[in-house]
Amino acid sequence: MTNSRVPLVVAAALLAALTGCASSGGTEASAAPSADPANKQREQQAQLATCMKGKGFTYHPMVSMPEPPEAIKQEMSGDYQGMKKYREKYGFGFAASLVYPNDGVGRMSRSMAEGETGDDPNAKVINGLPKPQREAYFNAMSACTLDMINKATGKRMKSMEEVGKAQSEMLKQIISREIDGDPKLVELAGAFGDCLKAKGYRVTSQSPSEIARSTEGPFMEEFGKLAAAGKNPSPAQARPLLQREIKAALDDLECGKDFHPVYRPKVNAVYERAQFLPGVGMMSVTVVK
């Protein structure tokens, strides 16, 4: 399995996020959550299990997303002390994925080793299949999810890649309206950016959604290139990188001490309404190599 596949743990989230805008007929999501999102998710998961059964595979419905570790909750909270506790050890969470691989709080996604299943019953199903059948399983999963999304939205999307683009556009619209359009956040982002520039950090935009990622951006890019090249440093090699990251993360925290407590709860609410974990990307895990 490659990272282009949709992780099983987020299949329900993709479906809920895209079908949440079905009533409007467009890609913009409604600002109000559905009356009973848990019930809707149960129905969708039951449909997915039925579809997979029709294709000859077992799928166990997943009604809830995994709970993030406490350290990530602190980082995402916007609370100064909670964020400081996380950042003093993990920085932004990139190098920490290598230095503290067993803490489960890093931002670089990992692939589970052959035979490793964690608590996911579907991972156990997949690991019990011969390798050729695993590819067929994921193809069936993609086909079932895509068919359900198209039926619910009235669209005719042809691939999960197209679904991902629609999902991304939906989130961009919400963030533009609710985050970058918030006058208080715009004011706080200006002061945040001025402080970062005074400390020597490069700031290309002071819109709230951009300034929130401004300091971590170079680290995300650096580790993204390492991951793409398959050149993950050893824990010992990553420690100097982590020290650089910790310094930047703490500078970011000090400059944004008025910004983060307002921004984080608002952006978390956006992702929660779209049926994502707060801090999506931190928790992405693929099932097999």
Side-chain angles (χ1 to χ4, degrees):
M1 176 186 168
T2 66
N3 284 339
S4 64
R5 293 290 186 192
V6 179
L8 291 183
V9 76
V10 298
L14 276 168
L15 186 60
L18 268 296
T19 58
C21 58
S23 61
S24 68
T27 58
E28 183 173 338
S30 168
S34 60
D36 190 351
N39 220 27
K40 182 177 181 182
Q41 188 170 330
R42 279 192 290 270
E43 291 175 5
Q44 292 167 345
Q45 285 288 288
Q47 291 171 25
L48 186 56
T50 299
C51 178
M52 289 293 284
K53 184 177 180 180
K55 294 182 181 294
F57 293 106
T58 298
Y59 175 78
H60 298 283
M62 299 177 70
V63 178
S64 62
M65 297 294 284
E67 189 75 8
E70 189 60 34
I72 287 181
K73 288 183 182 178
Q74 291 177 340
E75 163 65 9
M76 296 306 299
S77 68
D79 173 71
Y80 177 85
Q81 292 301 330
M83 293 179 71
K84 185 177 182 182
K85 184 177 179 181
Y86 179 93
R87 294 185 178 202
E88 283 178 335
K89 182 176 181 179
Y90 301 117
F92 290 117
F94 297 110
S97 304
L98 305 173
V99 177
Y100 304 108
N102 297 322
D103 285 15
V105 298
R107 303 255 320 259
M108 291 174 67
S109 61
R110 69 182 184 91
S111 292
M112 287 186 178
E114 186 74 21
E116 184 183 352
T117 61
D119 296 326
D120 185 354
N122 293 305
K124 293 180 173 68
V125 170
I126 293 162
N127 279 320
L129 295 172
K131 284 190 176 180
Q133 284 291 95
R134 295 181 190 181
E135 187 70 14
Y137 187 100
F138 287 111
N139 287 338
M141 170 67 70
S142 292
C144 285
T145 306
L146 182 63
D147 183 59
M148 290 171 66
I149 289 171
N150 282 337
K151 284 180 179 176
T153 61
K155 300 179 186 298
R156 294 183 180 179
M157 290 182 279
K158 297 179 180 179
S159 68
M160 291 307 295
E161 287 77 10
E162 189 176 350
V163 168
K165 288 179 182 177
Q167 177 192 55
S168 177
E169 180 58 33
M170 177 191 73
L171 287 172
K172 272 202 274 187
Q173 291 177 5
I174 298 173
I175 287 169
S176 175
R177 181 178 66 245
E178 299 187 21
I179 303 298
D180 292 337
D182 183 309
K184 179 63 175 176
L185 276 176
V186 170
E187 178 186 345
L188 292 171
F192 186 9
D194 290 344
C195 177
L196 288 174
K197 285 187 282 189
K199 287 181 179 288
Y201 292 96
R202 186 167 178 262
V203 175
T204 58
S205 170
Q206 291 190 195
S207 68
S209 65
E210 292 294 327
I211 198 69
R213 301 191 303 269
S214 177
T215 319
E216 72 175 46
F219 297 98
M220 182 164 57
E221 184 177 347
E222 179 178 359
F223 280 91
K225 287 178 180 177
L226 287 172
K231 297 178 179 178
N232 286 348
S234 68
Q237 292 170 327
R239 280 194 180 277
L241 305 178
L242 177 58
Q243 291 308 309
R244 275 199 294 120
E245 194 178 319
I246 287 172
K247 181 184 183 306
L250 291 174
D251 283 345
D252 178 274
L253 178 60
E254 290 301 323
C255 283
K257 62 185 176 184
D258 295 326
F259 173 84
H260 292 303
V262 180
Y263 170 80
R264 291 298 176 102
K266 283 186 72 86
V267 79
N268 287 347
V270 166
Y271 283 111
E272 286 169 357
R273 197 163 62 244
Q275 299 297 305
F276 290 114
L277 289 170
V280 68
M282 288 185 176
M283 304 297 294
S284 177
V285 178
T286 53
V287 177
V288 291
K289 287 181 177 180

